[in-house]
Amino acid sequence: MDIRAVVGLNVLRIRRERSLSQEELSFQSGLTRAYLSGLEAGRRNPTIVSLSKLADALGVEVEDLVHSLKRNGL
């Protein structure tokens, strides 16, 4: 699976687990809602800085965003 898809699915999964809307995550991370939408759809190629902002906003480690779903046990 493409790493962009892995990151996108992980962000989507964790965001939903925390009952956050894209708008709420956007506010907390400082990233735009449009960027988050593209990221979750696997269309965006996130930078290390973006991954760090998302991890902080979601309360996880960057590695939690880049591990494959299979590795996460899903």
Side-chain angles (χ1 to χ4, degrees):
M1 181 181 290
D2 185 290
I3 188 66
R4 291 173 297 182
V6 169
V7 170
L9 290 172
N10 284 333
V11 170
L12 175 64
R13 176 181 52 80
I14 296 167
R15 178 177 64 78
R16 287 183 175 171
E17 286 173 357
R18 285 161 178 58
S19 300
L20 292 171
S21 68
Q22 284 183 345
E23 186 173 352
E24 290 168 321
L25 181 56
S26 170
F27 180 74
Q28 292 179 14
S29 67
L31 302 169
T32 67
R33 195 208 54 77
Y35 178 83
L36 293 173
S37 176
L39 185 74
E40 289 181 354
R43 294 187 308 263
R44 302 298 305 237
N45 191 20
T47 65
I48 293 170
V49 172
S50 296
L51 290 174
S52 178
K53 288 179 179 184
L54 285 168
D56 287 346
L58 291 167
V60 298
E61 300 295 325
V62 170
E63 66 187 43
D64 296 324
L65 301 178
V66 298
H67 282 172
S68 70
L69 298 176
K70 185 176 180 182
R71 187 170 182 182
N72 283 334
L74 301 176

